Amino acid sequence: QVQLVESGGGLVQPGGSLRLSCVASGSIFSINVMGWYRQAPGKQRELVATITLGGRTNYAYSVKGRFTISRDNAKKTVYLQMNSLKPEDTARYYCNVRATTMGAPYEDDYWGQGTQVTVSS
């Protein structure tokens, strides 16, 4: 199985920055896509950003130009640098990876427990 541990959330003022990290561990053979999703109270979980093994990135329109996703394959870690934060970015942020575990014939999706980001003055 795959375990994901997120960190870096917290309370920040509008216009501020935060950097989220997510470390994957377990019996991992390979990690394809890594990404971040978020869910605000009363809303559905939505994609924030993803990055492929080759480094191709995809962003939600609402965060383009403000957030940057990156990954360190050797450390099995994905990052989300969030700048110019807005109150509407307030949500619980979840790490997601699409990975193949040792001996598994196919890849599967794995989720972290989430880290809270609150943007408020």
Side-chain angles (χ1 to χ4, degrees):
Q1 292 299 314
V2 177
Q3 294 80 43
L4 301 175
V5 178
E6 301 110 328
S7 61
L11 173 64
V12 63
Q13 292 187 340
S17 299
L18 283 174
R19 188 191 195 209
L20 306 183
S21 300
C22 172
V23 181
S25 63
S27 56
I28 300 170
F29 176 72
S30 66
I31 299 177
N32 185 1
V33 182
M34 305 183 84
W36 291 94
Y37 291 71
R38 66 187 182 187
Q39 187 168 19
K43 294 188 176 181
Q44 289 188 330
R45 189 173 297 187
E46 63 177 5
L47 178 147
V48 176
T50 60
I51 183 168
T52 68
L53 181 61
R56 183 178 301 175
T57 58
N58 179 48
Y59 294 94
Y61 180 80
S62 60
V63 307
K64 275 185 178 179
R66 301 188 297 122
F67 291 10
T68 302
I69 190 170
S70 61
R71 63 190 281 176
D72 184 328
N73 293 324
K75 295 182 179 180
K76 297 185 179 65
T77 301
V78 61
Y79 306 97
L80 185 68
Q81 178 65 45
M82 304 186 293
N83 299 328
S84 303
L85 282 161
K86 305 175 181 180
E88 49 263 44
D89 294 317
T90 296
R92 192 163 186 84
Y93 284 69
Y94 295 89
C95 175
N96 169 267
V97 302
R98 187 168 300 162
T100 303
T101 55
M102 299 293 187
Y106 49 81
E107 59 187 15
D108 206 348
D109 277 322
Y110 299 89
W111 293 90
Q113 294 298 307
T115 184
Q116 180 66 34
V117 172
T118 302
V119 185
S120 175
S121 55

